Amino acid sequence: MVTVYRPETLEQALDKLAVGDHTLFSGGTDLMVRHSVRPGMSPSFCRDVVFVDAIDELKHITQASLEPDRDGGVDSGIFIGAGVTLSEIECHPLIPDVLRQSVAKIAAPALRNRATMAGNICNASPAADSLPALYLLDARVVLSSVQGQREMALEDFVLAPGLTQLRQGEMLTHVVIPQSDLPITFYHKVGTRAANALTKLSVAGLAKVKKGRTGKGKLVDWRVAFGAVGPTVVRSRELESLLIGQPTEKLAKPRFVNEVVGMYSEIIRPIDDQRSTAEYRHQASLNLLQRWLSQLSVQ
Ligand SMILES: Cc1cc2nc3c(=O)[nH]c(=O)nc-3n(C[C@H](O)[C@H](O)[C@H](O)COP(=O)(O)OP(=O)(O)OC[C@H]3O[C@@H](n4cnc5c(N)ncnc54)[C@H](O)[C@@H]3O)c2cc1C
């Protein structure tokens, strides 16, 4: 028989997770589908379930300077508790635009009122819509257990479809977004319809342009990430560095654009599945990359 726990403090939750094997349940929007048996029947769980949706200390979004003793941590950032729902993230003034836009494209309002970003991350789907924006923002995850806390870059945490670095007895308690100053945003999700659609692919971008004395722009930072076109999000800092420092007017030159698109064409290797074909995903990703470059060419 499966036992269900609903702790009200993080300490109680971690004590429970420390003993035995449990399924951690946040919003349950992935779990209820994964464990469904057949229409009209309750889902079936084979391990004890720990609901983490009643833990008040995980339901906040705060801006904070971080403690100096955190290994490899950043100095200051936005802390998003694991119990914060997607709807709360979508509306919160501290959340960067690119993340707000990508979260707003997940499913429909009723689901976003229940689902969490922590669940979206830990489910580690290649099509998880919050991930490309979080990769671009250099997000980090805080993992807690009775042994203490550890923190790592999100892109190190997500290993493969459905696989993360989460250890037994641990839970994700916070996502940390380091402070950044990247005011130009690009986000586009391709699905079968404009709203409430599963992702065929998505492209997210961030940039900063500085104007010189002549009024001409130069890219001081430029980033792009692709979702649902590989086992995990595709982002290449090496390719991004080739564009940083370039004048924005160069992004209107077909030869330069073709070179950039050609380099990304090599690293975007999608698969065919029930949502789309590899060929469509590959071409649509490159078309959106061109659109992102063209948007910046007039800055
Ligand atoms: C109809 C429908 C439409 C959807 N549309 C989209 C969409 O457009 N885009 C998209 O990206 N996703 C979509 N999803 C997937 C899902 O809603 C999201 O991934 C959601 O963010 C999951 O959050 P949750 O809180 O419900 O996770 P849960 O279902 O509670 O958990 C998901 C996984 O994460 C683990 N987990 C949860 N919280 C923690 C934690 N704090 N620490 C460690 N592990 C944890 C759970 O054990 C489980 O393995 C859709 C799902 C449905 C049913």
Side-chain angles (χ1 to χ4, degrees):
M1 198 179 73
V2 169
T3 311
V4 168
Y5 304 96
R6 197 159 181 253
E8 289 182 1
T9 67
L10 180 58
E11 195 184 353
Q12 288 168 358
L14 297 182
D15 284 347
K16 196 51 80 188
L17 293 174
V19 189
D21 202 7
H22 300 89
T23 297
L24 246 157
F25 193 110
S26 284
T29 60
D30 274 315
L31 284 170
M32 294 296 274
V33 175
R34 202 188 308 157
H35 291 269
S36 71
V37 182
R38 70 172 74 104
M41 277 183 75
S42 303
S44 163
F45 288 81
C46 48
R47 294 183 294 179
D48 289 351
V49 179
V50 178
F51 282 81
V52 290
D53 61 338
I55 305 173
D56 190 54
E57 61 216 272
L58 300 182
K59 291 186 177 216
H60 303 282
I61 299 177
T62 49
Q63 189 154 32
S65 296
L66 312 180
E67 295 137 35
D69 60 343
R70 294 165 356 120
D71 282 346
V74 289
D75 294 341
S76 68
I78 301 156
F79 273 64
I80 304 172
V84 176
T85 64
L86 296 175
S87 297
E88 288 161 342
I89 292 174
E90 197 185 332
C91 300
H92 201 282
L94 285 175
I95 299 298
D97 248 18
V98 70
L99 182 58
R100 192 195 309 279
Q101 286 179 37
S102 53
V103 162
K105 286 283 183 187
I106 294 179
L111 183 138
R112 296 198 294 274
N113 287 342
R114 175 82 211 154
T116 62
M117 193 165 74
N120 198 236
I121 292 170
C122 293
N123 198 48
S125 159
D129 280 322
S130 68
L131 291 185
L134 289 170
Y135 272 55
L136 285 190
L137 291 162
D138 293 330
R140 300 177 69 78
V141 287
V142 180
L143 310 170
S144 303
S145 70
V146 287
Q147 271 93 42
Q149 264 188 5
R150 60 190 184 119
E151 185 188 316
M152 66 180 74
L154 174 64
E155 53 187 284
D156 296 331
F157 178 66
V158 180
L159 297 173
L163 188 67
T164 67
Q165 295 225 36
L166 197 74
R167 296 178 186 148
Q168 188 162 353
E170 233 175 14
M171 68 177 280
L172 189 158
T173 48
H174 290 91
V175 176
V176 188
I177 300 178
Q179 287 303 341
S180 62
D181 176 22
L182 295 155
I184 310 172
T185 294
F186 179 86
Y187 182 73
H188 203 94
K189 163 172 164 168
V190 179
T192 38
R193 49 184 182 255
N196 202 7
L198 295 174
T199 304
K200 290 172 187 277
L201 67 118
S202 67
V203 181
L206 280 175
K208 183 171 183 172
V209 169
K210 196 173 163 195
K211 298 263 186 200
R213 255 183 264 140
T214 56
K216 291 192 171 172
K218 190 167 101 174
L219 283 176
V220 291
D221 203 336
W222 181 79
R223 305 175 187 187
V224 69
F226 302 84
V229 293
T232 58
V233 171
V234 175
R235 179 183 174 195
S236 165
R237 286 186 173 72
E238 200 187 331
L239 294 188
E240 287 170 5
S241 70
L242 301 176
L243 274 85
I244 295 171
Q246 299 287 350
T248 52
E249 62 186 8
K250 207 166 167 184
L251 306 180
K253 303 231 179 326
R255 198 164 152 196
F256 183 69
V257 171
N258 287 342
E259 257 175 56
V260 175
V261 170
M263 287 185 287
Y264 274 96
S265 175
E266 298 290 314
I267 61 166
I268 294 172
R269 297 198 195 91
I271 54 162
D272 288 319
D273 65 14
Q274 72 278 16
R275 291 186 192 174
S276 190
T277 64
E279 192 185 350
Y280 176 83
R281 286 182 157 126
H282 186 254
Q283 191 55 52
S285 302
L286 298 180
N287 292 350
L288 287 169
L289 170 62
Q290 279 195 27
R291 202 187 287 182
W292 173 218
L293 295 172
S294 153
Q295 177 184 325
L296 289 168
S297 69
V298 292
Q299 297 278 330

